[in-house]
Amino acid sequence: MCSISKSLEAITPFVAIECAGVGALVDHEHCRQNLLRRILGTRNFSGQVGELLQARRFPDLILICIGHNNVDWAWRCPQHELDTPEERLPRLSEEFRQNYARELRRLLEGARIQQHRVAIVVYGLINFESYFKGREAAERLQESDTTLYPHLETTYKYFISFNPAYRRNLSRLASMVNEELRAMVEALNREFSKQIEQIQLRYSNALATADLSCAELLHPIDGWHASVEGHNVLADAAFSDLKPSLEFLGIR
């Protein structure tokens, strides 16, 4: 967020609002959060959308990047589906799309009644195949020097699907989710076609194509979250695909 803000600041003055939260999920608004997320005060996607809809001024530009916590397919997974996830993965992907589309439609309905143009960018999930190459490089480094990445394995406690045995299917699910996001944006653009002069909705694969295969892009403590360099790579990728949205808003 900070790096994107700095890049935007060089182009135009603006006021930024960040609604993201630790551990946030694309959710059904009536589902009760688990204890950990309640302790953390996590705002899931429905809560984030609600915050935007209640803002004093509706934003001109909305950047949405959420869903990475939803691809932890092994979380609360029955044993038989861990072994054969062929039905589970499409089911999770479809559920994700339904929940995402419902909240995005709420945003679009809010944008429709504004007196100014609104551009919304839906970012696909990161390229997990590339990401896990970086993770594997970090694991090899730790094997030769155990002082590196002291909380490397702590990741598995919070994100079960990061276990090597489950990574391939996590990557598969992320690819399925990105295809659902792309198709969802196309469908919603058809649904809101009469508002094409006022609302621009775009899917961006900028994060899905960013190269995250270097260990240096992962945090030196847990090898899970992005390092400063990793955040910069993602921010640069996200900003590089903003030109059509900025032009729609008259920002050049």
Side-chain angles (χ1 to χ4, degrees):
M1 175 67 179
C2 182
S3 296
I4 296 177
S5 295
K6 288 181 179 178
S7 298
L8 283 172
E9 198 171 39
I11 299 174
T12 182
F14 73 102
V15 176
I17 301 172
E18 184 170 7
C19 299
V22 176
L25 294 165
V26 174
D27 64 324
H28 192 294
E29 60 182 324
H30 299 302
C31 288
R32 181 176 173 82
Q33 295 192 82
N34 65 26
L35 179 60
L36 177 60
R37 286 186 166 86
R38 293 202 302 274
I39 291 173
L40 292 173
T42 298
R43 284 176 301 179
N44 287 332
F45 193 34
S46 60
Q48 296 173 20
V49 169
E51 181 179 355
L52 281 182
L53 293 175
Q54 294 172 13
R56 180 175 298 179
R57 186 185 188 281
F58 198 86
D60 302 278
L61 175 65
I62 301 173
L63 309 181
I64 306 175
C65 178
I66 190 171
H68 295 88
N69 292 311
N70 289 82
V71 293
D72 186 7
W73 71 275
W75 181 54
R76 295 182 175 177
C77 181
Q79 184 60 49
H80 72 280
E81 290 192 320
L82 276 177
D83 299 331
T84 54
E86 299 309 315
E87 293 183 2
R88 181 175 179 81
L89 299 184
R91 186 171 69 248
L92 291 175
S93 180
E94 174 61 24
E95 179 182 315
F96 177 90
R97 174 174 175 168
Q98 291 177 2
N99 287 335
Y100 201 118
R102 182 179 54 256
E103 298 307 322
L104 186 53
R105 189 175 285 106
R106 288 175 64 203
L107 265 186
L108 291 167
E109 292 290 355
R112 177 155 57 182
I113 62 174
Q114 303 305 314
Q115 299 301 311
H116 59 83
R117 284 188 164 191
V118 178
I120 302 174
V121 182
V122 172
Y123 286 102
L125 307 189
I126 66 167
N127 183 338
F128 274 100
E129 287 189 13
S130 171
Y131 172 90
F132 282 131
K133 290 179 181 178
R135 172 82 180 188
E136 289 165 3
E139 290 167 345
R140 289 193 295 271
L141 289 171
Q142 195 206 41
E143 286 178 1
S144 59
D145 184 351
T146 57
T147 65
L148 298 175
Y149 305 101
H151 288 285
L152 190 72
E153 295 193 1
T154 304
T155 306
Y156 306 139
K157 179 180 178 181
Y158 299 102
F159 211 110
I160 298 172
S161 301
F162 265 50
N163 276 284
Y166 304 141
R167 290 176 185 175
R168 175 176 170 273
N169 285 316
L170 188 158
S171 297
R172 288 178 61 201
L173 179 56
S175 295
M176 294 166 69
V177 161
N178 282 346
E179 179 55 29
E180 292 284 10
L181 289 174
R182 185 198 61 76
M184 175 199 67
V185 167
E186 285 188 2
L188 287 171
N189 272 322
R190 290 192 296 270
E191 182 179 334
F192 286 82
S193 59
K194 293 182 179 179
Q195 282 73 43
I196 194 170
E197 294 298 322
Q198 183 180 350
I199 303 172
Q200 183 197 67
L201 174 64
R202 298 173 49 237
Y203 169 75
S204 171
N205 68 350
L207 302 184
T209 56
D211 185 359
L212 303 174
S213 60
C214 298
E216 292 76 16
L217 301 182
L218 300 180
H219 199 283
I221 298 299
D222 60 15
W224 171 16
H225 297 93
S227 64
V228 172
E229 294 85 351
H231 277 293
N232 288 337
V233 167
L234 292 171
D236 289 346
F239 182 76
S240 70
D241 199 24
L242 281 185
K243 184 177 180 181
S245 301
L246 297 177
E247 289 181 347
F248 178 77
L249 297 173
I251 302 171
R252 301 179 186 276

